[in-house]
Amino acid sequence: MPFENSSQDGDSNQLLLKTEILSSSPPQCLIYQKLPIQQEQNKFNLNNTKTTTKCNNNLINPNQIRQNSGQKHLNINISPISSCSTPTNCSPPYNINIYGNNEQQQNIGRLIRSNSVKINPFNGGESEATKTTTNEQQQQIVPSFLQFPTDANDGNDDNNNNNDYLNQPFNMARQPNLEHENIGRFSSLPSTPCNTHLQHPFVHPQQQQSSSSSSNLQQDLGNCPICNDKVSGYHYGLLTCESCKGFFKRTVQNKKHYTCSGNKNCTVEKSNRKRCPHCRFQKCLERGMRTCAVREDRMRGGRNKLGVYYKQDRAARSKILQQSNTRSSSTTNQQNTHQQQLMIYANGLNFYENNNSNNETTVTRSNPYANETFSSGVKAKRAKREVASTYGNSGVHQQQQVNSKYSSAAYLGGLPKQQDQINSNITSHQHCSSTMTGFDVYLQSPTLSSTSSTNSSANGIFGSSTASTHLSNVDNNGGLAMLLGNSIQPLEENHEASTSIAPMMMNPLPFHLYPITSAHNAHTHLQQHSSVSNNKNNIPPSVAVVHNVGGNSLGPSSSASSSGVSSSGLNSPPLPIPSSSSFSPSSSNKYASNIHHQLPLVNVKNEIPSAAIHATAPLHPSMYHQSSAVGYSPIMPITTPTLHMTTSLHVTTPLQPYLLPHHHGILHSGGPLTTNPHHQSSSEHQQQLLPLCQMPPIEGVFYGNHHQQQQQTSFSNLNGNGEFTSAGGRLLIEELCLSPQLERPVLITLQSIRTCGETYNSSLDFCLQVITKHLDTNILWAKVDELFKGLNENCRSMQFLNAWAALHLIDFAYALLKGELSNKINFPLSDGNMGSIDTHTLALLGCTELFNEWNAILQQLRNYQFGKADYVAFKYITLLDVCFYRAPNDPPNIVSQYDKVVQMHDQVLHSWLHLRSYSGNPSIAKSDSLHKFSQLASKCVERLRSRLNQSPEIQNIPGFLSEMLFTNKNVGIGGGTKLVD
DNA sequence: GTAGCCTTGACC
DNA sequence: GGTCAAGGCTAC
């Protein structure tokens, strides 16, 4: 009997509690007991309801003993702290959690100090070594109990502290976060950040097999992504605290409308979360809380369909952390490994690169999962395991270096040209014979970040471009540190640096694909480009890309001046304006080596604190979110690629998650940013618990017969004709936002392109592929969209034919504003090299001459704090635009749908207006940005059509693009391919 | 109105 | 029967 006996003498302060833990290892026998308390008498009733649980795992499940609220039980959890890398090595020390109120905890504390509580682990078949360890721990365990645990890192790591503990009060004030359930937590080892015995809720592999593995998440779920309070569980689609859960519920249930007395950019923290409910609710929405998970019928209990997602997300977190923890236990750098875990979390982990075209000599293992069609979670897990198995003893820096080294991956945003540089860095500084898949690189790359958008926020999309060039001037270590180590530095260390450098780093350098170090190089480069262009794309050399040529020239000055794009920011150098040509076939990797000291400089060096460029002072990720104004979608699409952000000629800035090195909890990845920059700026110390799995579209959230009707509410407010009704009480635009086809369509497009594994003759070739693939993406959306189905097929085809280009622009705009995309997209050329194209060029259908207008639109949207609802509204309103119904020869079947289209259009518009009004920002409503998209799209189409008309490449236009560009027939898309199945 | 605690109930 | 994410209750 583990708790052999207990007794009391009527005085709770002198309660005698004899406890034994029967430990046999492996597996150890873990025991806990619930001790009901007669609280009103301040006594422990030890003769009542003894509950003993034995687990075959090395760590007891804390949730199994969590306080049964309302029953006034004192729960004592005694478990070994599993810090071992393998089960067979597990042994005490033990961790004791006492659950109860303050007084109860104090009583137990006194008992422990007085050694009235005895813990007597013994071995059952252990090895001698383990026995020794166990015995040693047994000898030490009582004093160590007195060391307060983890949350307050007192720095008290003296395990050998002897008798002082007997006089130490249990000062609960030291653990402000241990209210409620876990009010007294005693560890036999201090849990400091550097403690290799760092407690971790996902400790043992066996734990994952237990039925209650998921419960372990609740031991320490981190902090609420809304207010930074302690997370209590999944609530309405997100891991949040109890208060935000309640707040969200009240707001939705009561249909509350808040207004912000400020600028709608209030910080939301635990201390001030009551201050501005408007901003708090906005943050809830932005971080992913789902209004649809609030039951309209207010029925209690039950589960909803989000449970599947919760389970997946929980499993993914648990497994990844478990795997990582196993490895991390053997590393000497716990924190780095933990950060590695966090980055993995933040990334979604489904994008890998198997193209090691130029690194074969160093890559000895290809990605074994390249051809597998896992969900992201599986990929993430496998990738995580691979990372852990290969680099378990490596710090983040090392891993990132190696990752980047072997990343051929820059295909969708990386910089292959950097690989040689990285190779040299790796070789010179740290030889690593380990292999690494390209996929692993993406484990290091946060899915969402804000480099460009943050930059854009400050200076416009094509704002100043200083930092990257400056970065190029640092030494190899510094550059590599910047390149690879942004997530490593604690927030405080480089705050100044990040603050200073952020606005500069945010600026993309479009078309600075290659580090031209001299005029000769540039010339050679241009020659090659011209050659490729002429041979492959029939694009005159005169329009080939122009590169920087030494000095301060960041871009083709002539092109810049002609384009008329002005630099923004006082310290901004001339803007790197793309050449007039949209297509610049390149082979950047040929210029990868020997670039580091020869990059063109920009006169901004003095603006950057030395720490920022020091080799060992990598930029902190705060630089990415300190001023970002990008949308945030916390949902990790299964097929979402993780992209790098190219920020300079040679520095690929991995989009970093928010890493909180000082936190020792579970998960605190951030990365994705909020639409409102303030939300993020205030959350540097917030842990963002991003869902790892894709949130399912909720079409009827709740199970059960009672909700059969509600299961139809996804579009229950649409009748069979696609007409909007107010049934259900939810705005139409809110319903439309749930469409899975509107979740990062651009990334899905790029992922599909990447999956194809094709090579391209030129940038034009690749650009056409992107256009075509994204056309497919939007066709799919239009095909399955419930609202759009309300129109007949010809009408739908006409609408889509009219809107497709604008939809393309809107998608790219939103993706860029959200920071989903790198500023450059790299792609494999047919000659084996890597090409690169500016993302904005892809957005503009290759028409870089329209950058001015594009930039203006993006800036305007940014000012509007363009969010998901706006994006969705723009898409639908564009798709349902009827402006082209002016053609006198429109067939009757089209005209007949006119009223319906107008009706649907107005429904979306009104719904959107209502929503924006609700959120306090109606100014965007029906803004001219919407029209500008259409106008710009028309120009893009016109130019692209003209260009292709002059090019034989038109024969190779894939998919429906040709028909989109050149057909005027009122037929189904693709010359008969209807939008209906 | 907030937020902690409690109850409920479908799913496992 | 346990889990846990819903909604409800209520002290503040």
Side-chain angles (χ1 to χ4, degrees), chain A residues 51 91 112-113 194 302 378 393 410 528 710 838 948:
Chain A
T51 303
S91 62
I112 292 173
R113 285 194 297 270
C194 299
V378 176
N393 294 324
Q528 184 175 5
Q710 192 168 359
D838 187 84
L948 295 177

Side-chain angles (χ1 to χ4, degrees), chain A residues 336 339 396-397 400-401 471 474 477-499 501 505 609-624 653-654 656:
Chain A
N336 280 353
Q339 290 172 341
V396 172
H397 248 115
Q400 286 182 324
Q401 288 173 343
L471 293 175
V474 301
N477 284 339
L480 191 59
M482 289 185 177
L483 174 63
L484 302 174
N486 289 334
S487 65
I488 297 175
Q489 286 297 105
L491 284 168
E492 293 79 0
E493 296 184 15
N494 274 327
H495 178 71
E496 182 182 3
S498 61
T499 301
I501 201 170
M505 282 295 292
S610 58
I613 60 174
H614 191 270
T616 57
L619 296 174
H620 192 270
S622 63
M623 62 185 290
Y624 297 112
T653 305
Q656 297 295 347

Side-chain angles (χ1 to χ4, degrees), chain A residues 321-350:
Chain A
L321 274 178
Q322 165 226 320
Q323 293 287 341
S324 183
N325 186 74
T326 300
R327 279 295 167 188
S328 65
S329 64
S330 61
T331 185
T332 57
N333 191 336
Q334 174 81 36
Q335 185 163 336
N336 280 353
T337 306
H338 189 59
Q339 290 172 341
Q340 165 188 333
Q341 303 166 10
L342 302 178
M343 286 190 290
I344 291 169
Y345 270 104
N347 292 335
L349 317 180
N350 48 9

Side-chain angles (χ1 to χ4, degrees), chain A residues 2 8 77 80 118 182 187 189 250 317 329 341 373 382 417 490 493 530 557 568 596 657 767 770 817 872 907 925-926:
Chain A
Q8 62 181 81
N77 171 23
K118 298 179 180 179
N182 188 356
S187 173
L189 286 177
R250 291 192 302 273
R317 294 173 190 277
S329 64
Q341 303 166 10
T373 56
R382 293 199 178 190
K417 63 180 174 295
E493 296 184 15
S530 299
S557 57
S568 58
H596 216 81
C767 184
V770 171
L817 290 173
V872 172
Q907 287 166 354
K926 200 61 179 179

Side-chain angles (χ1 to χ4, degrees), chain A residues 561-816:
Chain A
S561 59
S562 63
S563 66
V565 176
S566 61
S567 170
S568 58
L570 295 176
N571 297 323
S572 301
L575 284 175
I577 302 303
S579 71
S580 57
S581 170
S582 305
F583 311 108
S584 54
S586 55
S587 53
S588 57
N589 50 356
K590 291 181 178 178
Y591 302 88
S593 60
N594 195 28
I595 64 173
H596 216 81
H597 302 282
Q598 305 175 35
L599 290 167
L601 305 180
V602 175
N603 188 25
V604 295
K605 187 174 183 177
N606 293 335
E607 301 171 1
I608 304 175
S610 58
I613 60 174
H614 191 270
T616 57
L619 296 174
H620 192 270
S622 63
M623 62 185 290
Y624 297 112
H625 47 84
Q626 61 123 8
S627 62
S628 60
V630 293
Y632 164 62
S633 175
I635 302 168
M636 295 293 181
I638 289 176
T639 57
T640 296
T642 300
L643 302 182
H644 282 243
M645 182 70 74
T646 302
T647 57
S648 75
L649 295 176
H650 71 295
V651 175
T652 293
T653 305
L655 306 184
Q656 297 295 347
Y658 306 136
L659 301 180
L660 300 177
H662 301 312
H663 179 72
H664 325 302
I666 309 299
L667 171 64
H668 33 273
S669 60
L673 303 175
T674 61
T675 299
N676 299 325
H678 59 282
H679 289 162
Q680 196 51 57
S681 63
S682 66
S683 60
E684 283 186 349
H685 295 279
Q686 288 185 12
Q687 307 157 38
Q688 298 192 15
L689 303 173
L690 303 184
L692 299 178
C693 305
Q694 184 178 25
M695 182 88 68
I698 305 175
E699 297 182 8
V701 179
F702 297 96
Y703 295 106
N705 295 331
H706 185 80
H707 297 286
Q708 287 299 318
Q709 291 181 342
Q710 192 168 359
Q711 290 187 20
Q712 304 169 3
T713 58
S714 175
F715 287 92
S716 59
N717 43 11
L718 301 176
N719 61 25
N721 296 324
E723 296 169 341
F724 172 74
T725 67
S726 59
R730 192 167 297 127
L731 293 176
L732 172 62
I733 192 66
E734 291 178 304
E735 303 285 352
L736 297 177
C737 283
L738 301 178
S739 171
Q741 279 74 36
L742 296 179
E743 291 288 343
R744 305 182 185 184
V746 175
L747 294 185
I748 291 174
T749 294
L750 296 176
Q751 171 75 354
S752 68
I753 293 172
R754 191 225 164 276
T755 304
C756 290
E758 296 180 0
T759 59
Y760 304 91
N761 296 326
S762 64
S763 296
L764 171 62
D765 198 14
F766 179 72
C767 184
L768 293 177
Q769 177 75 345
V770 171
I771 298 170
T772 302
K773 287 292 185 181
H774 197 63
L775 182 59
D776 293 341
T777 300
N778 273 327
I779 287 176
L780 174 62
W781 162 63
K783 277 186 172 182
V784 303
D785 184 75
E786 293 292 330
L787 178 64
F788 204 47
K789 280 181 179 178
L791 303 173
N792 67 34
E793 97 183 32
N794 281 338
C795 181
R796 293 161 64 189
S797 298
M798 281 299 299
Q799 292 295 140
F800 191 87
L801 187 62
N802 177 63
W804 74 270
L807 297 174
H808 176 101
L809 267 62
I810 292 170
D811 284 342
F812 271 82
Y814 184 57
L816 285 165

Side-chain angles (χ1 to χ4, degrees), chain A residues 472-535:
Chain A
S472 68
N473 196 33
V474 301
D475 57 42
N476 283 351
N477 284 339
L480 191 59
M482 289 185 177
L483 174 63
L484 302 174
N486 289 334
S487 65
I488 297 175
Q489 286 297 105
L491 284 168
E492 293 79 0
E493 296 184 15
N494 274 327
H495 178 71
E496 182 182 3
S498 61
T499 301
S500 299
I501 201 170
M504 297 180 286
M505 282 295 292
M506 301 312 163
N507 289 286
L509 288 174
F511 277 79
H512 287 264
L513 308 182
Y514 321 108
I516 306 304
T517 59
S518 68
H520 172 73
N521 285 345
H523 177 67
T524 305
H525 201 60
L526 285 172
Q527 280 187 326
Q528 184 175 5
H529 286 192
S530 299
S531 175
V532 175
S533 291
N534 293 332
N535 292 340

Side-chain angles (χ1 to χ4, degrees), chain A residues 58 425 454 565 862 966:
Chain A
N58 291 62
N425 286 329
T454 304
V565 176
R862 191 179 307 281
F966 300 108

